[in-house]
Amino acid sequence: MTPTPAVGKDTMHQNPPPLTTTTVTVAYAGGDERRGPVTMGQANMIRCILRDDPTHINIHDVWPVPEGTTPAAVTDALRALAVRHEGLRTTFPHPPGAAPVDQVVAAEGTFTVTVLDHAELPGDPAEYAESVARAARAGRFALEREFPMRITLLTVTGQPAYVALAFSHAVADGSAMAILREEFAELLAGKELPELTSLPPVDLAAVEASPAGLRKSEASLRYWERILRTGPQEMFAEPRGRRPGTDEEARQLTLRSRRGARALAGAARRTGHPEATVLMAAWCALVAHRAGQDSCVTAVPSANRFHARVARSVTTTSQDALLRLDVGVETFDALVTRTWGAVLDAYRHSQFDSVRLWDMIGQVTAERGSHFGRDVVFNDVSALPAPLLGTDAQDRDDAEQELTWGPPQALPTRLLAFTYRTAPQLHISLWAAPSVFTPEEAEGFLTGLVQLLEATAAGDVPMEALAEVTGVRPAERGPDWLRVDGCWVSPDAVRETLGRAVGGLPVRVQVTEATGAEPYLTAYIALGDTSLTPTEAHRALTALIPAAGSGVLAPHRYVLVENPPTEPDRSDAWRRLNTIDEGTGRSRQV
């Protein structure tokens, strides 16, 4: 549910202006006119497009143009791509205030190319092209009428050098951009493109709406609901943490490591599992270890192109696979074996009706008294045909191991990683929330990942030895934190948040620990002259949880009394008071 991240802020104003700026209108024709429902991936991204900052949801890419290519050849190649891929000829008509439910494919039309001609490009031409593409992300795409690519051709005295593009995320994702980049290069090289084998969006929507497709969506929703009802609501629940929903600015940290690539290959050979599985297991092991959790819940956005019918579709398939991996095993080899099945299970359940998913998340929030945080995202794009490496990724294969810091960006999650390559280097970019990771801890996390892979290549690693092997230490929570309903909870944070939710009324949160069972929380609220029910208290608390501090989960029971006891710090004093009302506040027992 999260797009490819932007790589910093617009820097165009730092560069000399072009000599001339012209706009070329390009006509295309030859496709088929079609209409049909939107796909589940399109609906998911359209929801974000209508809600989120365009600079966060729009995506961009830069395509180098070989020397000697004419402007006409560039526009011819772009025209050919528009005719070839229905997604590029698609708009989404809808009345004001409503989300689109249909897509319309045009048989013919026009698009524009803005040509910026220069006497010479700035000192770092690729970085300049990147800034031009990034700047084009500003401004919401008009879904009902706008061509879904904003195209800028950078030329030097008339000779094309780069095409800088911004895309509507309703028609393309990272994989689609990579496919288009590859085909653009082949067209300029005079190659004939092969027949399309993956489904265009209208046909993909029909498959999704078929009985088999609907059964798949229902199964996916049930899979997600099991995780949302039983898994940890925050991976990084700790005193210094923040809840997702409160974005932070995080700097990009990039690892390039030949050591890591050799270790990953060696670990895959020794364990007999694919490199992708070993890397996922290492990621989950280290995340869970750092978070002090017995399972790792991570979103895997690139997972839903594993089927041939969508592998090379130029559309958006941006729906998360949600992986929950239990790390409660003795050795890393056992975890790798477990990871294979868990990843396949997550992939199988990555196609769903996103509107119904968000309705379900809201229902679980109310019933469980929690708020699921998309704390961790792991996006492995190393298998794409032309990985989106960014301008600083080229020609730097010689680093045995290096860490470099890049620009900041708003981070709607706590830990986001993109794996761009696994050979000849392990190339990972990480964005870690500063509230949870200091810069030194973020660097230690990536170097610890390499150390874990190196140890795994040499032999099986006991899971209890992760701190020693990686140098990564688990979160420190203090004695007042405890596990409740599978989540790390701070009763003090619950009391403070509930007090705010009920307008400052006196509140006491009692922890009851039962033999052989997890503890549960009871909240006492002194009403005075106030009128309040357990349901109202619960609803007010759950409304605050998404933006509250870390470690807040709703109590299992609310007990309403008239006045606080003379000794308000004693739970037994609250228990002796006359009860006005009590209940769970939930619409369903969980």
Side-chain angles (χ1 to χ4, degrees):
M1 289 180 273
T2 293
T4 303
V7 191
K9 300 177 181 178
D10 176 28
T11 56
M12 282 187 66
H13 64 279
Q14 302 171 359
N15 296 304
L19 293 175
T20 62
T21 301
T22 57
T23 300
V24 177
T25 299
V26 181
Y28 63 84
D32 294 327
E33 184 174 341
R34 306 182 70 196
R35 186 183 186 112
V38 296
T39 68
M40 292 178 180
Q42 288 171 333
N44 185 44
M45 295 317 304
I46 287 170
R47 178 182 178 276
C48 298
I49 289 167
L50 295 176
R51 178 196 65 191
D52 295 346
D53 185 329
T55 60
H56 294 171
I57 194 64
N58 295 336
I59 53 179
H60 74 278
D61 198 12
V62 174
W63 300 347
V65 179
E67 188 175 349
T69 304
T70 65
V74 171
T75 56
D76 286 346
L78 292 168
R79 180 188 293 110
L81 292 176
V83 173
R84 175 176 170 84
H85 295 291
E86 291 186 5
L88 301 183
R89 295 182 275 117
T90 296
T91 53
F92 303 90
H94 60 103
V101 295
D102 290 324
Q103 56 182 312
V104 174
V105 181
E108 57 186 32
T110 62
F111 59 86
T112 60
V113 178
T114 300
V115 182
L116 303 183
D117 193 36
H118 306 73
E120 61 179 8
L121 294 180
D124 188 339
E127 178 63 29
Y128 170 64
E130 177 85 9
S131 74
V132 173
R134 192 164 54 241
R137 291 170 66 146
R140 208 176 304 276
F141 273 89
L143 295 170
E144 71 281 6
R145 66 177 185 276
E146 187 175 353
F147 190 73
M149 294 195 300
R150 294 169 183 163
I151 307 168
T152 304
L153 176 60
L154 305 181
T155 62
V156 179
T157 61
Q159 293 300 305
Y162 294 95
V163 180
L165 307 104
F167 291 81
S168 166
H169 218 327
V171 303
D173 55 17
S175 298
M177 289 195 300
I179 292 163
L180 290 170
R181 180 200 283 190
E182 179 186 48
E183 292 186 348
F184 177 75
E186 291 180 349
L187 287 168
L188 292 184
K191 297 180 181 179
E192 185 174 343
L193 298 181
E195 291 293 321
L196 295 174
T197 56
S198 293
L199 297 179
V202 171
D203 294 334
L204 179 58
V207 170
E208 293 174 344
S210 69
L214 294 175
R215 286 193 299 271
K216 184 178 180 68
S217 177
E218 290 294 330
S220 296
L221 292 173
R222 291 193 298 271
Y223 169 88
W224 275 69
E225 186 171 6
R226 284 195 301 272
I227 296 175
L228 295 177
R229 288 196 180 277
T230 61
Q233 291 299 285
E234 330 167 57
M235 282 303 296
F236 298 107
E238 52 188 271
R240 58 178 172 167
R242 300 184 195 173
R243 295 300 296 244
T246 53
D247 289 2
E248 300 179 64
E249 273 214 336
R251 291 179 65 196
Q252 179 181 2
L253 175 63
T254 297
L255 167 78
R256 294 180 182 84
S257 175
R258 283 183 170 271
R259 281 176 50 191
R262 289 194 300 268
L264 178 58
R269 284 193 302 271
R270 193 189 63 76
T271 62
H273 286 277
E275 288 187 4
T277 304
V278 175
L279 184 59
M280 180 67 76
W283 168 262
C284 288
L286 203 55
V287 167
H289 166 72
R290 165 62 180 76
Q293 303 278 13
D294 56 14
S295 65
C296 174
V297 177
T298 184
V300 191
S302 60
N304 42 14
R305 281 186 178 266
F306 68 98
H307 196 286
R309 67 171 174 242
V310 293
R312 292 187 62 86
S313 287
V314 172
T315 186
T316 184
T317 61
S318 291
Q319 292 186 281
D320 285 344
L322 188 66
L323 172 66
R324 181 183 180 183
L325 182 61
D326 183 353
V327 299
V329 292
E330 292 187 1
T331 69
F332 185 78
D333 282 10
L335 183 66
V336 174
T337 300
R338 177 176 290 183
T339 301
W340 174 253
V343 167
L344 289 180
D345 206 23
Y347 285 9
R348 283 196 298 266
H349 296 104
S350 61
Q351 176 188 307
F352 46 80
D353 183 329
S354 59
V355 174
R356 289 188 58 198
L357 174 69
W358 284 104
D359 288 344
M360 183 263 287
I361 290 174
Q363 183 179 359
V364 172
T365 294
E367 293 172 358
R368 194 181 184 193
S370 61
H371 179 78
F372 172 71
R374 192 172 178 266
D375 269 6
V376 184
V377 180
F378 185 77
N379 209 350
D380 186 347
V381 297
S382 61
L384 294 183
L388 304 174
L389 300 177
T391 57
D392 62 346
Q394 310 297 327
D395 302 323
R396 297 183 63 175
D397 291 342
D398 57 341
E400 186 66 8
Q401 183 152 303
E402 69 175 14
L403 289 168
T404 55
W405 285 96
Q409 74 164 65
L411 190 70
T413 182
R414 304 282 79 92
L415 195 67
L416 166 66
F418 272 71
T419 299
Y420 295 114
R421 287 188 296 182
T422 56
Q425 290 178 322
L426 182 60
H427 178 185
I428 299 176
S429 284
L430 183 78
W431 291 260
S435 65
V436 180
F437 290 83
T438 66
E440 294 75 19
E441 287 171 329
E443 291 180 353
F445 187 88
L446 283 181
T447 57
L449 185 68
V450 173
Q451 289 164 351
L452 176 56
L453 293 173
E454 288 178 327
T456 301
D460 200 359
V461 176
M463 292 293 287
E464 63 182 14
L466 286 181
E468 178 184 354
V469 169
T470 67
V472 175
R473 304 295 171 187
E476 295 181 3
R477 294 189 174 89
D480 58 319
W481 285 67
L482 67 159
R483 288 180 65 87
V484 176
D485 193 17
C487 305
W488 281 107
V489 175
S490 166
D492 285 344
V494 175
R495 175 186 52 76
E496 188 275 332
T497 307
L498 179 57
R500 286 193 289 117
V502 296
L505 294 174
V507 170
R508 172 74 177 177
V509 174
Q510 175 189 326
V511 178
T512 302
E513 302 196 38
T515 303
E518 281 194 342
Y520 61 92
L521 303 180
T522 302
Y524 293 87
I525 305 174
L527 299 182
D529 297 329
T530 304
S531 174
L532 187 72
T533 67
T535 298
E536 291 168 341
H538 182 75
R539 187 180 300 126
L541 175 60
T542 55
L544 290 187
I545 285 177
S550 188
V552 179
L553 195 72
H556 296 82
R557 197 157 194 82
Y558 300 85
V559 179
L560 309 183
V561 299
E562 185 174 0
N563 295 303
T566 56
E567 299 177 280
D569 293 335
R570 292 172 58 96
S571 292
D572 59 344
W574 286 85
R575 287 197 298 269
R576 288 194 295 268
L577 298 174
N578 291 329
T579 299
I580 296 174
D581 194 3
E582 62 179 312
T584 67
R586 292 158 166 79
S587 57
R588 165 180 160 189
Q589 296 284 348
V590 293

